Amino acid sequence: MAYDIVVIGAGPAGLTAAIYARRAAKSVLVLEAVSYGGQIINTPDIENYPAAAHISGFDFATKLYEQAKALGAEIVFEKAVDIRDGGSEKTVVTTKNEYPCKAVIIATGSANRKLGIEDEDKLVGRGVSYCATCDGAFYRKKRVAVVGGGNTALEDALYLADIAEKVYLIHRRDSFRGEEQTAAALRERENVEFVLNSNVTKLIAEKKLTAVEVTDKSGAVSVIEVNGLFVAVGRIPENQNFSAVIELDESGYAAADESCRTRTPGVFVAGDNRTKEVRQLVTAAADGAVAATEAVKYISTI
Amino acid sequence: MAVITANSDNFEAEVLNSDKPVIVDFNAAWCGPCKMLGPVIEELSDEREDIKFVSVDIDEEDILAEDHDVSSIPCLVAFKDGKEIGRSIGIVPKSEITALVEG
């Protein structure tokens, strides 16, 4: 049987799209590669979602998932690897199956950008981390470094400064892209040291990370002893598999305006993987609503 | 079989001296992904009589976490005859979890 709409990704954007599409009485399949909820499940306390002063990311995601299921969305745990555009009939291909449908909403979000240096993957969970609020607790009274210059890096460094004995903030430029207020707060901290104009060039480990090698602009190399390295160098949108049907910008985001329409009629994009200024929980949910409404409109024309 | 809660007192008996291979789920109450993985481990403990499933709360048992080099959760560590034979970090599918005991 062909579905009206296949949604790729069961994060806030994808599940919201499923809710709107079901309420418009369309049949909906949601495909998820890992687990429902997306990035938000890592957030211990959401404080900026309208009318929910405090809710954990896990509770938010679970409620959203249950709401979509109760409305009749089917959710299947398979990774989508391709979309074939056959005009009024499209096919979403996963690693296990093929799902014919009328419209597709790509809500795949983004993944952590890696440093791309040797042994990085091997040391994840052995000193290398991409989530300070998840793993910070393991570095009580230890020495850590944060890499990056955006808001996430600054906030991670500030969070870790309360836990760790020493925090190095390593950044490839001499100024930060993140908010000045957070940078100023970091300068006040006695246990935070800035390592600017520098890149991490090597991870030094035995069984676990013991130090990082840092190379500055002039080429000078130094070694900083740390137990933990928190990588906060941005995120990569998960659009790579779908470049045959959508336009990607130079950073890999799917080109689409507020309507969430892509260059292929019937293929829509919602959430963090879309080109936009503000990537927040509420804007992901908003995209889901818009994309589903547009998809329903599209189906009525074919 | 239900998931057994381990602490520093019974870890040796339940995990290291177990006759069956063991998968230890290191987790914490504040960890969202751990709450996602928890029910999967529960399900597996009913499905797989040949594997023992053990849960360790890293806030209460920080020494156990440290002893086993756990620095990111959820972390699953598989043991056979008292030795670590596999490990995974983050949310992993069921098939990958049971594959851990195969070494």
Side-chain angles (χ1 to χ4, degrees), chain A:
Chain A
M1 162 205 138
Y3 290 91
D4 291 322
I5 300 172
V6 171
V7 179
I8 306 173
L15 290 174
T16 303
I19 289 169
Y20 273 75
R22 281 301 301 146
R23 287 175 54 84
K26 299 296 170 203
S27 60
V28 178
L29 172 69
V30 182
L31 296 169
E32 168 57 50
V34 189
S35 69
Y36 69 81
Q39 258 194 86
I40 198 66
I41 63 164
N42 292 316
T43 303
D45 189 17
I46 300 162
E47 294 177 281
N48 58 6
Y49 198 81
H54 290 279
I55 183 167
S56 79
F58 172 78
D59 287 343
F60 182 92
T62 303
K63 284 181 180 199
L64 187 54
Y65 174 74
E66 281 166 0
Q67 188 180 0
K69 268 182 64 163
L71 283 165
E74 265 185 72
I75 300 169
V76 168
F77 290 89
E78 288 175 21
K79 186 176 169 59
V81 291
D82 195 15
I83 298 170
R84 286 203 298 263
D85 178 30
S88 59
E89 187 182 294
K90 306 184 194 303
T91 307
V92 178
V93 182
T94 71
T95 47
K96 290 183 185 151
N97 286 301
E98 297 195 352
Y99 298 97
C101 59
K102 295 173 184 160
V104 184
I105 297 171
I106 306 169
T108 40
S110 61
N112 295 311
R113 184 183 295 278
K114 295 178 178 180
L115 289 175
I117 56 179
E118 208 184 335
D119 292 339
E120 186 175 356
D121 287 339
K122 224 170 70 190
L123 290 168
V124 172
R126 294 180 186 273
V128 173
S129 172
Y130 301 88
C131 179
T133 53
C134 311
D135 299 333
F138 292 101
Y139 298 91
R140 208 163 292 283
K141 307 252 181 287
K142 294 190 174 165
R143 299 159 67 84
V144 299
V146 175
V147 196
N151 269 326
T152 305
L154 299 181
E155 283 162 17
D156 283 359
L158 200 56
Y159 175 81
L160 290 165
D162 286 333
I163 297 170
E165 177 195 278
K166 174 93 187 178
V167 179
Y168 296 93
L169 179 55
I170 304 167
H171 182 39
R172 64 193 160 108
R173 302 185 203 284
D174 61 359
S175 62
F176 298 109
R177 217 164 1 92
E179 276 173 29
E180 176 47 35
Q181 206 181 338
T182 318
L186 282 171
R187 280 185 209 104
E188 299 286 305
R189 297 297 184 104
E190 276 179 10
N191 64 338
V192 175
E193 188 176 325
F194 291 174
V195 183
L196 302 177
N197 293 317
S198 299
N199 284 306
V200 175
T201 42
K202 200 173 166 192
L203 303 171
I204 300 161
E206 284 172 35
K207 217 173 143 196
K208 289 196 280 184
L209 186 75
T210 55
V212 292
E213 180 197 273
V214 169
T215 306
D216 76 11
K217 251 184 181 166
S218 71
V221 175
S222 56
V223 171
I224 303 173
E225 281 182 29
V226 288
N227 309 99
L229 179 72
F230 289 86
V231 180
V233 293
R235 302 190 57 88
I236 299 180
E238 302 247 47
N239 292 324
Q240 306 88 325
N241 289 338
F242 314 117
S243 57
V245 288
I246 57 177
E247 204 66 51
L248 304 185
D249 73 8
E250 65 277 11
S251 306
Y253 289 99
D257 63 11
E258 298 299 311
S259 72
C260 297
R261 286 191 291 252
T262 68
R263 70 170 158 83
T264 304
V267 176
F268 304 86
V269 61
D272 280 4
N273 51 322
R274 180 171 79 81
T275 49
K276 55 174 162 176
E277 288 297 316
V278 182
R279 291 192 175 85
Q280 288 286 308
L281 188 52
V282 69
T283 64
D287 272 11
V290 173
T293 307
E294 288 289 331
V296 169
K297 218 194 288 177
Y298 164 81
I299 290 169
S300 71
T301 65
I302 58 173

Side-chain angles (χ1 to χ4, degrees), chain B residues 35-63:
Chain B
K35 291 189 194 167
M36 296 274 177
L37 197 60
V40 180
I41 299 291
E42 291 280 346
E43 264 176 47
L44 278 171
S45 74
D46 288 332
E47 291 168 15
R48 294 290 297 255
E49 289 289 320
D50 58 323
I51 305 171
K52 188 195 273 188
F53 290 88
V54 168
S55 169
V56 172
D57 183 318
I58 59 105
D59 286 333
E60 283 164 23
E61 303 297 333
D62 52 336
I63 312 258

